[in-house]
Amino acid sequence: MAKGAIGADDKLVGEFADELDNLGVRVAKLEKKSDNVKIAGYVRFHYRSGKEDTATGNSKSSQSAIRSRLFFNGAINDNWTYTGMLHNDQMLNDDNGNGTTRFQRAFLTGKYGNFKATLGRQQETLVDANVYDDRVDAAKFEFGDKVKFTAALGKMSNNDGAFDNYVSGTTLTVPTSDAGRYWRVGLDGKVGKNLNLGFDYIDVKDAWAKSASLAPEMKIKAFKAMYTADQWKLGADYILGDSSVADIAGNKGKNGYVVMLGVGNAKANKVGSVGLWANYYNQPAATFVNNTFNALYKKAYGFKGYGVGVDYTVAKNMIAGIQYFDLKDKNDAELKRKTLWSQLVITF
């Protein structure tokens, strides 16, 4: 029957009707169960070269690493799903061969019409990733279609390194968290065919670290605009910071902005596709909690300057990219920091 050799009216079909019916039920249940859990993967090879000014000259650094991620998504019922992510980093230029493996995301997603709830450890990208782009332990609720309202409450998480405490001139190790508790509300909508506008209000407790010297409360307001036409996009974020961060070590200002230009898109399933982008940043420390772009910068000073990049699909599910950043600190010293980043991203 599957090959078309016999039809539904063949006498064999009638003779084995019960068996075929039972087989069909079993196959349908098996196929439904096999689609219940889906696994996807991501691997990134990268190399970063940096040059930073210091009070006595300049210093150079380099880093090469492999990042691997496995995503697990399971359907609970018609409305709810579960997502988990296993994450591994391997440092290639580390003589000790250091690497870390962690289960970094675990959250539930529920959808009811235009309402969506996301509960658990999840990725949170705020203001085009210019304010925060990292994990949170939170409950997030979204409602709407053309105009969407978002509200979230939780704790910002994940900071495994250290940053310079410019108040005392020593190094402060961040204790497992970018910040403490946070809440936010946002409104995003489309005006006409090509223009998207948005507003976010973000309140963060114990920003940066739970430390007496660097634990300000940050209240950030952000206005967002993005215009798209064909393969072009032009956007801007204006960010108003309001925190004691602006008073740290000669930090210049508390308000900032980012201008974003892009053309094309390197698609994993389209070999030869290209995407180019250029951004200009002017962000005092009071305008962001954790910006995870690939440039070198000092968190307590903020930064200003530009970044450019290009991505190219070299083969199916393989995208190569190169980025260059030229930034300087937003303080009286205005030390320069230049970064060249190259990567190959593989998805499966």
Side-chain angles (χ1 to χ4, degrees):
M1 289 180 67
K3 295 180 179 179
I6 62 174
D9 58 346
D10 192 280
K11 63 179 182 179
L12 289 173
V13 176
E15 184 177 346
F16 294 99
D18 292 339
E19 287 81 354
L20 289 172
D21 184 59
N22 290 333
L23 179 62
V25 170
R26 289 198 298 271
V27 170
K29 288 183 177 179
L30 181 62
E31 289 177 347
K32 185 176 181 179
K33 195 68 175 178
S34 67
D35 291 337
N36 201 43
V37 177
K38 298 179 180 180
I39 301 175
Y42 165 101
V43 181
R44 185 190 72 189
F45 300 81
H46 85 252
Y47 176 79
R48 182 177 69 188
S49 175
K51 180 180 178 181
E52 301 179 83
D53 290 343
T54 67
T56 58
N58 59 67
S59 64
K60 295 182 180 180
S61 63
S62 64
Q63 180 193 84
S64 57
I66 302 174
R67 170 170 292 180
S68 303
R69 288 174 169 175
L70 286 176
F71 300 86
F72 307 89
N73 183 270
I76 300 170
N77 52 43
D78 292 339
N79 300 104
W80 287 90
T81 61
Y82 168 82
T83 301
M85 186 189 79
L86 189 65
H87 174 109
N88 173 267
D89 280 319
Q90 292 292 330
M91 307 306 295
L92 300 182
N93 60 340
D94 187 333
D95 292 337
N96 297 321
N98 287 337
T100 58
T101 300
R102 294 172 180 162
F103 200 76
Q104 287 194 341
R105 297 181 200 171
F107 60 89
L108 296 172
T109 302
K111 295 182 180 180
Y112 297 88
N114 290 329
F115 174 80
K116 178 181 176 181
T118 309
L119 312 173
R121 174 156 289 194
Q122 58 194 276
Q123 186 75 8
E124 180 76 290
T125 300
L126 301 179
V127 192
D128 298 306
N130 292 315
V131 169
Y132 188 82
D133 184 26
D134 218 323
R135 298 191 297 277
V136 295
D137 300 326
K140 181 168 68 174
F141 305 98
E142 301 167 90
F143 180 77
D145 183 14
K146 293 183 179 180
V147 177
K148 183 173 70 173
F149 172 77
T150 303
L153 174 68
K155 183 182 77 69
M156 292 182 173
S157 58
N158 179 39
N159 194 325
D160 305 319
F163 63 88
D164 290 338
N165 179 347
Y166 290 99
V167 175
S168 62
T170 62
T171 298
L172 170 68
T173 300
V174 181
T176 72
S177 180
D178 285 325
R181 293 170 290 114
Y182 87 103
W183 64 272
R184 76 173 182 101
V185 291
L187 189 65
D188 297 271
K190 198 164 189 177
V191 179
K193 183 179 179 181
N194 304 103
L195 181 62
N196 288 277
L197 299 176
F199 172 79
D200 283 315
Y201 179 84
I202 307 159
D203 188 301
V204 185
K205 310 292 185 184
D206 297 325
W208 293 0
K210 296 183 183 301
S211 160
S213 59
L214 282 177
E217 178 179 357
M218 300 181 71
K219 299 178 184 293
I220 296 174
K221 307 177 188 71
F223 298 88
K224 306 173 293 183
M226 181 66 68
Y227 183 85
T228 58
D230 296 325
Q231 295 195 39
W232 290 86
K233 65 177 183 179
L234 176 64
D237 297 329
Y238 185 69
I239 307 166
L240 292 85
D242 178 16
S243 81
S244 58
V245 176
D247 299 325
I248 293 176
N251 214 293
K252 288 188 174 180
K254 65 179 183 180
N255 300 331
Y257 62 89
V258 181
V259 179
M260 301 159 285
L261 175 66
V263 58
N265 186 18
K267 299 180 180 179
N269 62 352
K270 187 176 180 181
V271 178
S273 56
V274 181
L276 300 99
W277 60 268
N279 293 349
Y280 182 79
Y281 309 91
N282 189 335
Q283 289 192 255
T287 63
F288 65 95
V289 180
N290 190 16
N291 189 321
T292 59
F293 65 169
N294 297 316
L296 295 171
Y297 67 94
K298 291 298 183 182
K299 193 168 187 177
Y301 280 171
F303 51 86
K304 61 180 176 180
Y306 68 89
V308 293
V310 57
D311 296 300
Y312 178 77
T313 306
V314 296
K316 185 178 179 180
N317 298 329
M318 301 178 70
I319 300 178
I322 188 167
Q323 304 171 8
Y324 177 75
F325 298 89
D326 190 331
L327 305 176
K328 59 182 177 181
D329 298 340
K330 275 191 68 67
N331 66 347
D332 293 333
E334 294 190 339
L335 298 179
K336 294 183 178 180
R337 310 183 191 278
K338 299 180 180 181
T339 310
L340 180 63
W341 173 281
S342 58
Q343 66 181 26
L344 175 65
V345 175
I346 301 169
T347 54
F348 55 91

